[in-house]
Structure formats: C-alpha cells, structure tokens
Amino acid sequence: MFDSIVTHIRKHAGLTDAEADILTSLLTVRDVKKKEHLLEAGKVCTEYYFVAEGCFRMYLVTAKGAEQVIQFGIEDWWINDYASYKTGLPSGYCIQAVEKAKVIVLDKKNEEEMFTRLPQMERYFRRVAEKAYSAQLNRIHYIFNLSGEEQYHLMNSRHPQFVQRVPQYMLASFLGITPEFLSKLRAKK
Amino acid sequence: MFDSIVTHIRKHAGLTDAEADILTSLLTVRDVKKKEHLLEAGKVCTEYYFVAEGCFRMYLVTAKGAEQVIQFGIEDWWINDYASYKTGLPSGYCIQAVEKAKVIVLDKKNEEEMFTRLPQMERYFRRVAEKAYSAQLNRIHYIFNLSGEEQYHLMNSRHPQFVQRVPQYMLASFLGITPEFLSKLRAKK
C-alpha cells in the first residue's frame, strides 16, 4: 500500500524497514474519485498529498470565472498549497482528481513527529521542494519565451503519455491557449 | 561577516555558536561589482549564493536576443540555477548583480560535508526551497491572471522599496510589459 512512497524516498534518503514502518504509521491512504476535490479555494490546506495512482490538477478560478490550471501532479509527485499549509490561511487554489486516484496523505499534525523521529525526511522533502522549485522556474521561462504551440510540442516530446492522459481543455488551460487551438495543433501532428 | 546568514538560519533551524563556526568554515564571502555575473548561460552552476547585501537578477536571453528577467534575489534570499547545480549540465540562465553586492557562497564541493556535519541544515534548506517553490507558484498565478498593470500595483504595494530599487527596464521585463508602459504606470501614480 505504501510501496510507491517508500521506493521514492529511498531514491533520495536512507530508510530502513523499521523506519519505513514508523513513517507509514504516520501516513494514511485515501481513494479519490474522479473529479473529487482534495482542496477547495477558501479552505485551509492541512494535508500534503503524495500521488500513488492517478492524476490531479491544481487550479484557480479567475475573476472572469474561468478555471486556470496552475500545475498537474501525477504518480510520485507531491501536491498541496504549501503557502496555505504553512501559514494556516485559506487557499486560493483547488486540487481536483483528473481521474480515479489514490493518494498517500501526510497530515500537518503528524509532520513534526515525522521530522523528529525520522530526520532523514528533512533531506527527502528538501529534494522534493528543490525539484518542484526548479520545475516552476522552467515553467516561467517557457511561459515567457515559448509560444503556446512550442510549449505543447515540448510537453509532447518530454511527456507524451501525459499529453494523452489529460483532458484537452485542461491541457489548453495549463498551456494558456484555447482548446480549439490545441485541437488544431493535435490534428496537425 | 556571516551574521546575516546565521541569523537567517536560526529563524528556521537550531544552530549553536560552535555549529555556526563549522558552517562558516565551509562558506566564503564574495564582493560582487555592479553588473558582474555570478553565472553565465552555457556554464555549469557549481555554487549556491546567499545574498548578504545587494540585489541580483536571474535572466535568460530569448531567441530574439531580449533579456527576460525570471526572478530577482535580494537580501536573505538564496539564488542559483538549481537544475544545473544538481545535474552538472550547463545552465540556460544568467545571474547578474543589479547593484554592488556581497554574497555568501556555498560551493557544491562543500555541500555534502555541510549536511553531514550539520544535519539541521537539511531542515533549513527544505524551508528555503519550499518558500521559493511557493513564491514561483504564486508568480505563475499572477502571470496568468493579472494584467501587467495589476502585477505592478501588487508588487508596489507589497514591496515598494524593491520597485524603487530595480532599474525600470528590468522590472518591466520581470512583469512582461514594456519599459514605456511601466513608465506610464509610474507617472499615473
């Protein structure tokens, strides 16, 4: 049940079987239905999610009522609104399952106990955050310097399964283009 | 010489005076001239910089030859190209001093020794990375959902000193607007 997360952690930090048992005693597994929300805007984010199966989108609703996708999270990726999780202030984001999914949940109440009993998790979460930070910097780079078409081709070459997996209107929102234009790009290919 | 970094670390993780001595033995201080580069595109990023004094910009040169500012770094902020630092691959970014500056340098060669001798630095750098990640997510949110004018007013209300400090053309590049438009916004105010 916790195999995927233990494997992922061991890529970045040491974790004996006994330590893995301590860790998993502090985590829970949750099945998530397609379109179910893990977080809704206006609520405080009190959990951190490791995607064991499935795909999530983090989005916000703009002043004009449109849903703008900020990021996706697939297997072996952590997702939450860190600012809300950290400050206890309401989140401006929603996190929703794109497909039937399974997450491993770290509740904020268990976070300090985890870091106290398993200090190597500091290293693991440092690397998770550094990688996520770096990915967002690249994204900003792409938003400013690549057209929607170029971003689509880049994404399609690097993550072809992902492009197939996500509904077209969500991918278009993530890329900042219209679904119609994305449809044309797909047809061209 | 290292006061600012020790103070900053103690906000996030414990550090005795003896441990601070170990840490500072692994760091160096560097004076940086205005417009001097800490990193140039095409080179590998092998250092991590803590801004003790001054202001830096991280930018890239677009296919059209324009300099696009991706982020700024001011006092108490760490800056580098983490992806290049981690992978050893050439960076696509430049990091340049906007004004005369002083940085505290963590060389990649000393990083593991630091984490081995001072495990609490894992916690510190986890928090640094989480905060940086969260800031970039917000930035993406603003890019998609606020006009250049709205982004300028938000920045001006949250970081007024910063808006005064950075040359107009760099701030315009960061906001994705022309310097002429930024000039008009400033005049309106």
Side-chain angles (χ1 to χ4, degrees), chain A residues 58 60 62 68 70-71 82-83 93 112 115 122-123 125-126 129-130 132-134 136-141 144-145 174, chain B residues 58 60 62 68 70-71 82-83 93 112 115 122-123 125-127 129-130 132-134 136-141 144-145 174:
Chain A
M58 183 167 170
L60 56 86
T62 70
Q68 170 64 54
I70 299 293
Q71 65 174 343
Y82 178 74
Y93 299 107
E112 272 314 304
F115 286 129
E122 297 276 7
R123 184 182 190 85
F125 279 107
R126 171 174 68 83
E130 285 170 341
Y133 166 58
S134 186
Q136 299 315 320
L137 267 197
N138 278 337
R139 175 104 190 279
I140 290 171
H141 164 172
F144 275 120
N145 297 297
F174 180 78
Chain B
M58 184 166 169
L60 55 85
T62 69
Q68 171 65 54
I70 299 294
Q71 66 173 341
Y82 178 75
Y93 298 107
E112 271 315 303
F115 286 128
E122 298 277 8
R123 184 183 190 84
F125 279 107
R126 171 174 67 81
R127 295 203 171 174
E130 284 170 342
Y133 166 59
S134 184
Q136 300 315 319
L137 267 196
N138 277 337
R139 175 102 191 280
I140 291 170
H141 163 173
F144 275 121
N145 298 299
F174 179 80

Short mmCIF file of all heavy atoms in Angstrom, two decimals, chain A residues 58 60 62 68 70-71 82-83 93 112 115 122-123 125-126 129-130 132-134 136-141 144-145 174, chain B residues 58 60 62 68 70-71 82-83 93 112 115 122-123 125-127 129-130 132-134 136-141 144-145 174:
data_model
loop_
_atom_site.label_atom_id
_atom_site.label_comp_id
_atom_site.label_asym_id
_atom_site.label_seq_id
_atom_site.Cartn_x
_atom_site.Cartn_y
_atom_site.Cartn_z
N MET A 58 -4.09 21.29 -10.11
CA MET A 58 -4.22 22.39 -9.16
C MET A 58 -4.65 23.59 -10.01
O MET A 58 -3.99 23.89 -11.01
CB MET A 58 -2.88 22.65 -8.49
CG MET A 58 -2.89 23.71 -7.42
SD MET A 58 -1.32 23.60 -6.50
CE MET A 58 -1.42 25.09 -5.54
N LEU A 60 -7.11 27.54 -10.22
CA LEU A 60 -7.82 28.60 -9.52
C LEU A 60 -8.91 29.10 -10.46
O LEU A 60 -8.86 28.88 -11.66
CB LEU A 60 -6.88 29.72 -9.10
CG LEU A 60 -6.04 30.39 -10.17
CD1 LEU A 60 -6.81 31.52 -10.84
CD2 LEU A 60 -4.77 30.95 -9.56
N THR A 62 -10.52 32.28 -12.01
CA THR A 62 -10.17 33.68 -12.24
C THR A 62 -11.35 34.60 -11.96
O THR A 62 -12.49 34.14 -11.81
CB THR A 62 -9.72 33.91 -13.70
OG1 THR A 62 -10.87 33.78 -14.54
CG2 THR A 62 -8.67 32.91 -14.13
N GLN A 68 -8.23 28.25 -14.29
CA GLN A 68 -6.87 28.32 -14.80
C GLN A 68 -6.02 27.24 -14.11
O GLN A 68 -5.85 27.27 -12.90
CB GLN A 68 -6.28 29.71 -14.51
CG GLN A 68 -4.80 29.85 -14.79
CD GLN A 68 -4.48 29.67 -16.26
OE1 GLN A 68 -5.05 30.35 -17.10
NE2 GLN A 68 -3.61 28.73 -16.58
N ILE A 70 -2.83 25.64 -12.83
CA ILE A 70 -1.50 26.12 -12.44
C ILE A 70 -0.47 25.00 -12.57
O ILE A 70 0.64 25.20 -13.03
CB ILE A 70 -1.52 26.67 -10.99
CG1 ILE A 70 -2.49 27.85 -10.86
CG2 ILE A 70 -0.12 27.08 -10.53
CD1 ILE A 70 -2.10 29.10 -11.62
N GLN A 71 -0.86 23.80 -12.11
CA GLN A 71 0.04 22.66 -12.29
C GLN A 71 -0.73 21.35 -12.22
O GLN A 71 -1.86 21.31 -11.76
CB GLN A 71 1.18 22.67 -11.28
CG GLN A 71 0.77 22.48 -9.83
CD GLN A 71 1.98 22.35 -8.90
OE1 GLN A 71 3.10 22.10 -9.32
NE2 GLN A 71 1.75 22.53 -7.61
N TYR A 82 1.31 24.82 -0.53
CA TYR A 82 2.27 24.91 0.55
C TYR A 82 2.07 26.18 1.39
O TYR A 82 2.19 26.16 2.61
CB TYR A 82 3.71 24.85 0.01
CG TYR A 82 4.71 25.01 1.11
CD1 TYR A 82 4.95 23.95 2.00
CD2 TYR A 82 5.37 26.21 1.31
CE1 TYR A 82 5.83 24.10 3.04
CE2 TYR A 82 6.25 26.37 2.36
CZ TYR A 82 6.49 25.32 3.22
OH TYR A 82 7.35 25.47 4.27
N ALA A 83 1.75 27.31 0.73
CA ALA A 83 1.60 28.58 1.46
C ALA A 83 0.47 28.47 2.48
O ALA A 83 0.63 28.88 3.64
CB ALA A 83 1.36 29.73 0.49
N TYR A 93 -6.39 28.16 -4.15
CA TYR A 93 -6.34 27.11 -5.17
C TYR A 93 -7.31 25.96 -4.87
O TYR A 93 -7.69 25.73 -3.74
CB TYR A 93 -4.92 26.52 -5.25
CG TYR A 93 -3.86 27.53 -5.62
CD1 TYR A 93 -2.95 28.01 -4.68
CD2 TYR A 93 -3.76 28.01 -6.92
CE1 TYR A 93 -1.97 28.94 -5.03
CE2 TYR A 93 -2.79 28.93 -7.28
CZ TYR A 93 -1.89 29.39 -6.33
OH TYR A 93 -0.93 30.30 -6.68
N GLU A 112 5.58 17.25 12.25
CA GLU A 112 6.72 17.44 13.16
C GLU A 112 7.17 16.11 13.78
O GLU A 112 8.36 15.88 13.96
CB GLU A 112 6.42 18.47 14.25
CG GLU A 112 6.75 19.90 13.83
CD GLU A 112 8.13 20.04 13.15
OE1 GLU A 112 9.18 19.66 13.73
OE2 GLU A 112 8.14 20.51 12.00
N PHE A 115 9.37 14.44 11.27
CA PHE A 115 10.72 15.01 11.17
C PHE A 115 11.54 14.72 12.43
O PHE A 115 12.75 14.56 12.37
CB PHE A 115 10.65 16.52 10.90
CG PHE A 115 10.25 16.85 9.49
CD1 PHE A 115 9.22 17.75 9.22
CD2 PHE A 115 10.91 16.29 8.40
CE1 PHE A 115 8.85 18.06 7.92
CE2 PHE A 115 10.55 16.60 7.08
CZ PHE A 115 9.52 17.48 6.85
N GLU A 122 13.81 15.21 6.35
CA GLU A 122 14.14 16.61 6.02
C GLU A 122 14.86 16.64 4.67
O GLU A 122 14.59 17.47 3.82
CB GLU A 122 15.07 17.21 7.09
CG GLU A 122 14.46 17.31 8.47
CD GLU A 122 13.62 18.57 8.65
OE1 GLU A 122 13.39 19.31 7.68
OE2 GLU A 122 13.18 18.79 9.81
N ARG A 123 15.79 15.71 4.51
CA ARG A 123 16.56 15.63 3.26
C ARG A 123 15.64 15.31 2.08
O ARG A 123 15.72 15.92 1.03
CB ARG A 123 17.64 14.55 3.40
CG ARG A 123 18.56 14.45 2.19
CD ARG A 123 19.56 13.31 2.40
NE ARG A 123 20.61 13.30 1.41
CZ ARG A 123 21.72 14.02 1.48
NH1 ARG A 123 21.92 14.86 2.48
NH2 ARG A 123 22.63 13.93 0.53
N PHE A 125 12.38 15.75 1.80
CA PHE A 125 11.47 16.84 1.44
C PHE A 125 12.24 18.07 0.93
O PHE A 125 11.69 18.87 0.17
CB PHE A 125 10.54 17.20 2.60
CG PHE A 125 9.35 16.27 2.69
CD1 PHE A 125 9.26 15.33 3.69
CD2 PHE A 125 8.36 16.33 1.73
CE1 PHE A 125 8.18 14.45 3.76
CE2 PHE A 125 7.26 15.46 1.79
CZ PHE A 125 7.18 14.51 2.80
N ARG A 126 13.49 18.21 1.35
CA ARG A 126 14.31 19.27 0.74
C ARG A 126 14.44 19.02 -0.75
O ARG A 126 14.23 19.90 -1.58
CB ARG A 126 15.70 19.31 1.39
CG ARG A 126 16.67 20.24 0.64
CD ARG A 126 17.99 20.41 1.37
NE ARG A 126 18.82 19.22 1.41
CZ ARG A 126 19.63 18.81 0.43
NH1 ARG A 126 19.70 19.49 -0.70
NH2 ARG A 126 20.36 17.72 0.55
N ALA A 129 11.20 19.62 -2.66
CA ALA A 129 10.90 21.04 -2.84
C ALA A 129 11.86 21.69 -3.84
O ALA A 129 11.44 22.52 -4.64
CB ALA A 129 10.97 21.76 -1.49
N GLU A 130 13.12 21.31 -3.81
CA GLU A 130 14.09 21.88 -4.75
C GLU A 130 13.73 21.52 -6.19
O GLU A 130 13.80 22.35 -7.09
CB GLU A 130 15.51 21.40 -4.41
CG GLU A 130 16.09 22.09 -3.18
CD GLU A 130 17.39 21.48 -2.68
OE1 GLU A 130 17.69 20.31 -3.02
OE2 GLU A 130 18.10 22.15 -1.91
N ALA A 132 10.73 20.73 -7.28
CA ALA A 132 9.48 21.41 -7.62
C ALA A 132 9.76 22.88 -7.95
O ALA A 132 9.20 23.44 -8.90
CB ALA A 132 8.49 21.30 -6.46
N TYR A 133 10.63 23.49 -7.18
CA TYR A 133 11.00 24.90 -7.40
C TYR A 133 11.63 25.06 -8.78
O TYR A 133 11.26 25.94 -9.57
CB TYR A 133 11.97 25.33 -6.30
CG TYR A 133 12.69 26.63 -6.56
CD1 TYR A 133 11.99 27.81 -6.78
CD2 TYR A 133 14.08 26.69 -6.57
CE1 TYR A 133 12.66 29.00 -7.01
CE2 TYR A 133 14.75 27.88 -6.79
CZ TYR A 133 14.03 29.03 -7.02
OH TYR A 133 14.70 30.20 -7.26
N SER A 134 12.57 24.19 -9.07
CA SER A 134 13.27 24.22 -10.34
C SER A 134 12.31 24.04 -11.52
O SER A 134 12.40 24.73 -12.54
CB SER A 134 14.32 23.11 -10.29
OG SER A 134 15.12 23.14 -11.40
N GLN A 136 9.17 24.87 -11.58
CA GLN A 136 8.35 26.08 -11.74
C GLN A 136 9.14 27.20 -12.40
O GLN A 136 8.59 27.97 -13.20
CB GLN A 136 7.77 26.55 -10.38
CG GLN A 136 6.87 25.55 -9.68
CD GLN A 136 5.84 24.90 -10.58
OE1 GLN A 136 5.25 25.53 -11.44
NE2 GLN A 136 5.64 23.60 -10.42
N LEU A 137 10.43 27.30 -12.08
CA LEU A 137 11.28 28.31 -12.75
C LEU A 137 11.31 28.05 -14.25
O LEU A 137 11.19 28.96 -15.05
CB LEU A 137 12.71 28.25 -12.21
CG LEU A 137 13.10 29.16 -11.06
CD1 LEU A 137 14.61 29.24 -10.97
CD2 LEU A 137 12.52 30.56 -11.18
N ASN A 138 11.49 26.79 -14.61
CA ASN A 138 11.48 26.43 -16.03
C ASN A 138 10.15 26.78 -16.67
O ASN A 138 10.09 27.25 -17.80
CB ASN A 138 11.75 24.93 -16.21
CG ASN A 138 13.23 24.63 -16.16
OD1 ASN A 138 14.06 25.51 -16.41
ND2 ASN A 138 13.58 23.40 -15.81
N ARG A 139 9.10 26.51 -15.95
CA ARG A 139 7.76 26.82 -16.47
C ARG A 139 7.65 28.30 -16.78
O ARG A 139 7.11 28.69 -17.83
CB ARG A 139 6.73 26.38 -15.42
CG ARG A 139 5.32 26.74 -15.76
CD ARG A 139 4.55 25.53 -16.22
NE ARG A 139 3.27 25.97 -16.76
CZ ARG A 139 2.19 26.28 -16.03
NH1 ARG A 139 2.23 26.15 -14.71
NH2 ARG A 139 1.08 26.67 -16.60
N ILE A 140 8.11 29.15 -15.86
CA ILE A 140 8.05 30.61 -16.07
C ILE A 140 8.86 30.98 -17.32
O ILE A 140 8.41 31.78 -18.15
CB ILE A 140 8.56 31.35 -14.81
CG1 ILE A 140 7.55 31.17 -13.69
CG2 ILE A 140 8.79 32.84 -15.09
CD1 ILE A 140 8.01 31.67 -12.33
N HIS A 141 10.01 30.37 -17.44
CA HIS A 141 10.84 30.53 -18.63
C HIS A 141 10.02 30.20 -19.89
O HIS A 141 9.97 30.97 -20.84
CB HIS A 141 12.05 29.62 -18.44
CG HIS A 141 12.86 29.32 -19.65
ND1 HIS A 141 14.06 28.66 -19.58
CD2 HIS A 141 12.66 29.56 -20.96
CE1 HIS A 141 14.54 28.54 -20.80
NE2 HIS A 141 13.73 29.06 -21.65
N PHE A 144 7.14 32.71 -20.75
CA PHE A 144 7.59 33.99 -21.32
C PHE A 144 8.18 33.82 -22.71
O PHE A 144 8.11 34.74 -23.52
CB PHE A 144 8.64 34.64 -20.42
CG PHE A 144 8.05 35.45 -19.29
CD1 PHE A 144 8.32 35.15 -17.98
CD2 PHE A 144 7.24 36.55 -19.57
CE1 PHE A 144 7.79 35.91 -16.95
CE2 PHE A 144 6.70 37.31 -18.55
CZ PHE A 144 6.98 36.99 -17.22
N ASN A 145 8.80 32.68 -22.96
CA ASN A 145 9.66 32.61 -24.14
C ASN A 145 9.23 31.63 -25.21
O ASN A 145 9.81 31.62 -26.30
CB ASN A 145 11.09 32.32 -23.71
CG ASN A 145 11.61 33.46 -22.85
OD1 ASN A 145 11.71 34.59 -23.32
ND2 ASN A 145 11.86 33.17 -21.59
N PHE A 174 -3.61 24.88 -18.99
CA PHE A 174 -2.23 24.84 -18.46
C PHE A 174 -1.28 25.57 -19.41
O PHE A 174 -0.38 26.30 -18.98
CB PHE A 174 -1.80 23.38 -18.30
CG PHE A 174 -0.40 23.20 -17.77
CD1 PHE A 174 -0.12 23.37 -16.42
CD2 PHE A 174 0.63 22.86 -18.63
CE1 PHE A 174 1.17 23.19 -15.95
CE2 PHE A 174 1.93 22.67 -18.16
CZ PHE A 174 2.19 22.84 -16.81
N MET B 58 18.07 37.11 -12.14
CA MET B 58 18.30 35.88 -12.91
C MET B 58 17.55 36.07 -14.21
O MET B 58 16.35 36.39 -14.19
CB MET B 58 17.75 34.69 -12.13
CG MET B 58 18.01 33.35 -12.75
SD MET B 58 17.66 32.06 -11.50
CE MET B 58 17.72 30.62 -12.55
N LEU B 60 17.37 35.23 -18.79
CA LEU B 60 17.84 34.45 -19.93
C LEU B 60 17.74 35.33 -21.16
O LEU B 60 17.02 36.34 -21.16
CB LEU B 60 17.04 33.17 -20.09
CG LEU B 60 15.53 33.29 -20.21
CD1 LEU B 60 15.11 33.55 -21.64
CD2 LEU B 60 14.89 32.00 -19.74
N THR B 62 16.47 35.54 -24.82
CA THR B 62 15.50 34.84 -25.66
C THR B 62 16.07 34.63 -27.07
O THR B 62 17.09 35.22 -27.43
CB THR B 62 14.19 35.64 -25.79
OG1 THR B 62 14.45 36.81 -26.57
CG2 THR B 62 13.65 36.05 -24.44
N GLN B 68 15.21 38.37 -20.70
CA GLN B 68 13.96 38.14 -19.96
C GLN B 68 14.30 37.86 -18.50
O GLN B 68 14.97 36.86 -18.21
CB GLN B 68 13.20 36.98 -20.58
CG GLN B 68 12.00 36.52 -19.77
CD GLN B 68 10.93 37.58 -19.70
OE1 GLN B 68 10.47 38.08 -20.72
NE2 GLN B 68 10.54 37.97 -18.49
N ILE B 70 13.74 36.38 -15.04
CA ILE B 70 12.92 35.30 -14.48
C ILE B 70 12.64 35.55 -13.00
O ILE B 70 11.55 35.33 -12.52
CB ILE B 70 13.63 33.93 -14.67
CG1 ILE B 70 13.85 33.62 -16.16
CG2 ILE B 70 12.85 32.80 -14.00
CD1 ILE B 70 12.60 33.40 -16.97
N GLN B 71 13.67 35.97 -12.27
CA GLN B 71 13.44 36.34 -10.87
C GLN B 71 14.53 37.28 -10.38
O GLN B 71 15.58 37.43 -11.00
CB GLN B 71 13.35 35.09 -9.98
CG GLN B 71 14.62 34.29 -9.88
CD GLN B 71 14.50 33.16 -8.84
OE1 GLN B 71 13.63 33.17 -7.98
NE2 GLN B 71 15.38 32.18 -8.94
N TYR B 82 19.27 25.87 -9.78
CA TYR B 82 19.31 24.61 -9.05
C TYR B 82 19.44 23.41 -9.99
O TYR B 82 20.16 22.46 -9.69
CB TYR B 82 18.06 24.47 -8.16
CG TYR B 82 18.07 23.15 -7.45
CD1 TYR B 82 18.91 22.95 -6.36
CD2 TYR B 82 17.27 22.10 -7.88
CE1 TYR B 82 18.96 21.73 -5.72
CE2 TYR B 82 17.31 20.88 -7.25
CZ TYR B 82 18.15 20.70 -6.17
OH TYR B 82 18.20 19.49 -5.55
N ALA B 83 18.77 23.45 -11.14
CA ALA B 83 18.80 22.31 -12.07
C ALA B 83 20.24 22.07 -12.55
O ALA B 83 20.71 20.92 -12.57
CB ALA B 83 17.87 22.54 -13.25
N TYR B 93 20.56 30.05 -17.81
CA TYR B 93 20.29 31.33 -17.15
C TYR B 93 21.58 32.10 -16.84
O TYR B 93 22.66 31.51 -16.74
CB TYR B 93 19.56 31.09 -15.82
CG TYR B 93 18.22 30.43 -15.96
CD1 TYR B 93 18.03 29.09 -15.59
CD2 TYR B 93 17.13 31.13 -16.45
CE1 TYR B 93 16.79 28.48 -15.71
CE2 TYR B 93 15.88 30.53 -16.57
CZ TYR B 93 15.72 29.20 -16.20
OH TYR B 93 14.50 28.60 -16.31
N GLU B 112 27.86 18.44 0.73
CA GLU B 112 27.63 17.19 1.47
C GLU B 112 28.27 17.23 2.84
O GLU B 112 27.71 16.73 3.81
CB GLU B 112 28.10 15.96 0.67
CG GLU B 112 27.01 15.38 -0.23
CD GLU B 112 25.64 15.26 0.44
OE1 GLU B 112 25.49 14.61 1.49
OE2 GLU B 112 24.69 15.88 -0.10
N PHE B 115 25.96 19.06 5.11
CA PHE B 115 24.79 18.29 5.53
C PHE B 115 25.17 17.14 6.48
O PHE B 115 24.41 16.79 7.36
CB PHE B 115 24.02 17.74 4.32
CG PHE B 115 23.24 18.80 3.58
CD1 PHE B 115 23.37 18.97 2.21
CD2 PHE B 115 22.34 19.61 4.26
CE1 PHE B 115 22.63 19.93 1.53
CE2 PHE B 115 21.60 20.59 3.59
CZ PHE B 115 21.76 20.75 2.22
N GLU B 122 19.62 20.52 6.58
CA GLU B 122 18.61 19.91 5.70
C GLU B 122 17.27 20.61 5.91
O GLU B 122 16.55 20.91 4.96
CB GLU B 122 18.44 18.42 6.00
CG GLU B 122 19.66 17.57 5.78
CD GLU B 122 19.84 17.15 4.33
OE1 GLU B 122 19.10 17.62 3.44
OE2 GLU B 122 20.75 16.32 4.09
N ARG B 123 16.93 20.83 7.18
CA ARG B 123 15.67 21.48 7.52
C ARG B 123 15.65 22.92 6.99
O ARG B 123 14.67 23.37 6.40
CB ARG B 123 15.49 21.49 9.03
CG ARG B 123 14.17 22.07 9.51
CD ARG B 123 14.14 22.10 11.03
NE ARG B 123 12.83 22.41 11.57
CZ ARG B 123 11.85 21.53 11.76
NH1 ARG B 123 12.01 20.27 11.43
NH2 ARG B 123 10.69 21.90 12.26
N PHE B 125 17.39 24.25 4.51
CA PHE B 125 17.28 24.33 3.05
C PHE B 125 15.95 23.76 2.54
O PHE B 125 15.48 24.13 1.48
CB PHE B 125 18.48 23.66 2.37
CG PHE B 125 19.68 24.56 2.32
CD1 PHE B 125 20.78 24.33 3.14
CD2 PHE B 125 19.71 25.66 1.48
CE1 PHE B 125 21.89 25.17 3.11
CE2 PHE B 125 20.81 26.52 1.44
CZ PHE B 125 21.90 26.27 2.26
N ARG B 126 15.34 22.86 3.30
CA ARG B 126 13.99 22.42 2.94
C ARG B 126 13.05 23.62 2.97
O ARG B 126 12.29 23.86 2.04
CB ARG B 126 13.49 21.34 3.91
CG ARG B 126 12.02 21.01 3.71
CD ARG B 126 11.54 19.85 4.56
NE ARG B 126 11.53 20.07 5.98
CZ ARG B 126 10.55 20.71 6.65
NH1 ARG B 126 9.51 21.21 6.00
NH2 ARG B 126 10.60 20.84 7.96
N ARG B 127 13.13 24.40 4.04
CA ARG B 127 12.23 25.54 4.18
C ARG B 127 12.52 26.61 3.13
O ARG B 127 11.61 27.25 2.61
CB ARG B 127 12.35 26.12 5.59
CG ARG B 127 11.84 25.11 6.61
CD ARG B 127 11.40 25.78 7.86
NE ARG B 127 10.73 24.84 8.74
CZ ARG B 127 10.35 25.14 9.98
NH1 ARG B 127 10.55 26.35 10.46
NH2 ARG B 127 9.74 24.25 10.70
N ALA B 129 13.67 26.09 0.13
CA ALA B 129 13.16 25.60 -1.16
C ALA B 129 11.64 25.63 -1.19
O ALA B 129 11.04 25.98 -2.21
CB ALA B 129 13.68 24.18 -1.43
N GLU B 130 11.00 25.28 -0.07
CA GLU B 130 9.53 25.28 -0.04
C GLU B 130 9.00 26.70 -0.24
O GLU B 130 8.02 26.92 -0.97
CB GLU B 130 9.03 24.70 1.29
CG GLU B 130 9.15 23.18 1.33
CD GLU B 130 8.89 22.58 2.71
OE1 GLU B 130 8.95 23.32 3.72
OE2 GLU B 130 8.66 21.36 2.80
N ALA B 132 10.56 29.17 -1.75
CA ALA B 132 10.86 29.59 -3.12
C ALA B 132 9.87 28.95 -4.10
O ALA B 132 9.38 29.61 -5.03
CB ALA B 132 12.29 29.19 -3.47
N TYR B 133 9.55 27.69 -3.88
CA TYR B 133 8.57 26.98 -4.72
C TYR B 133 7.22 27.67 -4.66
O TYR B 133 6.58 27.95 -5.68
CB TYR B 133 8.48 25.53 -4.25
CG TYR B 133 7.31 24.76 -4.79
CD1 TYR B 133 7.13 24.60 -6.16
CD2 TYR B 133 6.38 24.19 -3.94
CE1 TYR B 133 6.05 23.89 -6.66
CE2 TYR B 133 5.31 23.47 -4.42
CZ TYR B 133 5.14 23.33 -5.78
OH TYR B 133 4.07 22.63 -6.26
N SER B 134 6.80 27.97 -3.46
CA SER B 134 5.52 28.60 -3.23
C SER B 134 5.46 29.98 -3.91
O SER B 134 4.45 30.35 -4.53
CB SER B 134 5.33 28.71 -1.72
OG SER B 134 4.10 29.22 -1.40
N GLN B 136 7.10 30.89 -6.57
CA GLN B 136 7.02 30.71 -8.03
C GLN B 136 5.62 30.30 -8.46
O GLN B 136 5.15 30.72 -9.52
CB GLN B 136 8.07 29.70 -8.53
CG GLN B 136 9.51 30.07 -8.25
CD GLN B 136 9.88 31.51 -8.55
OE1 GLN B 136 9.47 32.08 -9.55
NE2 GLN B 136 10.64 32.13 -7.66
N LEU B 137 4.96 29.48 -7.65
CA LEU B 137 3.57 29.11 -7.97
C LEU B 137 2.68 30.35 -8.00
O LEU B 137 1.85 30.53 -8.90
CB LEU B 137 3.01 28.14 -6.93
CG LEU B 137 3.12 26.65 -7.16
CD1 LEU B 137 2.18 25.92 -6.23
CD2 LEU B 137 2.81 26.25 -8.61
N ASN B 138 2.86 31.21 -7.00
CA ASN B 138 2.10 32.46 -6.96
C ASN B 138 2.41 33.31 -8.18
O ASN B 138 1.53 33.94 -8.76
CB ASN B 138 2.43 33.26 -5.70
CG ASN B 138 1.63 32.77 -4.51
OD1 ASN B 138 0.59 32.17 -4.66
ND2 ASN B 138 2.15 33.00 -3.33
N ARG B 139 3.68 33.31 -8.56
CA ARG B 139 4.09 34.12 -9.72
C ARG B 139 3.34 33.64 -10.97
O ARG B 139 2.84 34.44 -11.76
CB ARG B 139 5.60 33.97 -9.89
CG ARG B 139 6.17 34.64 -11.11
CD ARG B 139 6.83 35.95 -10.78
NE ARG B 139 7.13 36.67 -12.01
CZ ARG B 139 8.17 36.44 -12.79
NH1 ARG B 139 9.06 35.51 -12.44
NH2 ARG B 139 8.36 37.11 -13.90
N ILE B 140 3.26 32.32 -11.13
CA ILE B 140 2.56 31.74 -12.30
C ILE B 140 1.09 32.17 -12.27
O ILE B 140 0.53 32.57 -13.28
CB ILE B 140 2.73 30.21 -12.33
CG1 ILE B 140 4.19 29.88 -12.66
CG2 ILE B 140 1.78 29.56 -13.33
CD1 ILE B 140 4.57 28.44 -12.51
N HIS B 141 0.52 32.08 -11.09
CA HIS B 141 -0.85 32.54 -10.88
C HIS B 141 -0.98 34.00 -11.35
O HIS B 141 -1.88 34.33 -12.12
CB HIS B 141 -1.13 32.37 -9.38
CG HIS B 141 -2.30 33.11 -8.83
ND1 HIS B 141 -2.73 32.92 -7.55
CD2 HIS B 141 -3.11 34.05 -9.34
CE1 HIS B 141 -3.77 33.71 -7.32
NE2 HIS B 141 -4.02 34.39 -8.38
N PHE B 144 -0.72 34.54 -15.21
CA PHE B 144 -1.90 34.13 -15.98
C PHE B 144 -3.11 35.01 -15.70
O PHE B 144 -3.97 35.17 -16.56
CB PHE B 144 -2.28 32.68 -15.66
CG PHE B 144 -1.52 31.67 -16.46
CD1 PHE B 144 -0.74 30.72 -15.85
CD2 PHE B 144 -1.60 31.66 -17.85
CE1 PHE B 144 -0.03 29.79 -16.59
CE2 PHE B 144 -0.90 30.73 -18.60
CZ PHE B 144 -0.12 29.79 -17.97
N ASN B 145 -3.19 35.55 -14.50
CA ASN B 145 -4.48 36.11 -14.10
C ASN B 145 -4.49 37.59 -13.81
O ASN B 145 -5.55 38.16 -13.63
CB ASN B 145 -5.00 35.35 -12.88
CG ASN B 145 -5.22 33.90 -13.24
OD1 ASN B 145 -6.03 33.62 -14.11
ND2 ASN B 145 -4.47 33.01 -12.63
N PHE B 174 10.59 41.70 -15.97
CA PHE B 174 10.05 40.77 -14.97
C PHE B 174 8.53 40.71 -15.07
O PHE B 174 7.93 39.63 -14.98
CB PHE B 174 10.49 41.22 -13.58
CG PHE B 174 9.99 40.36 -12.45
CD1 PHE B 174 10.61 39.16 -12.14
CD2 PHE B 174 8.91 40.75 -11.67
CE1 PHE B 174 10.16 38.36 -11.08
CE2 PHE B 174 8.44 39.96 -10.62
CZ PHE B 174 9.08 38.77 -10.33
#
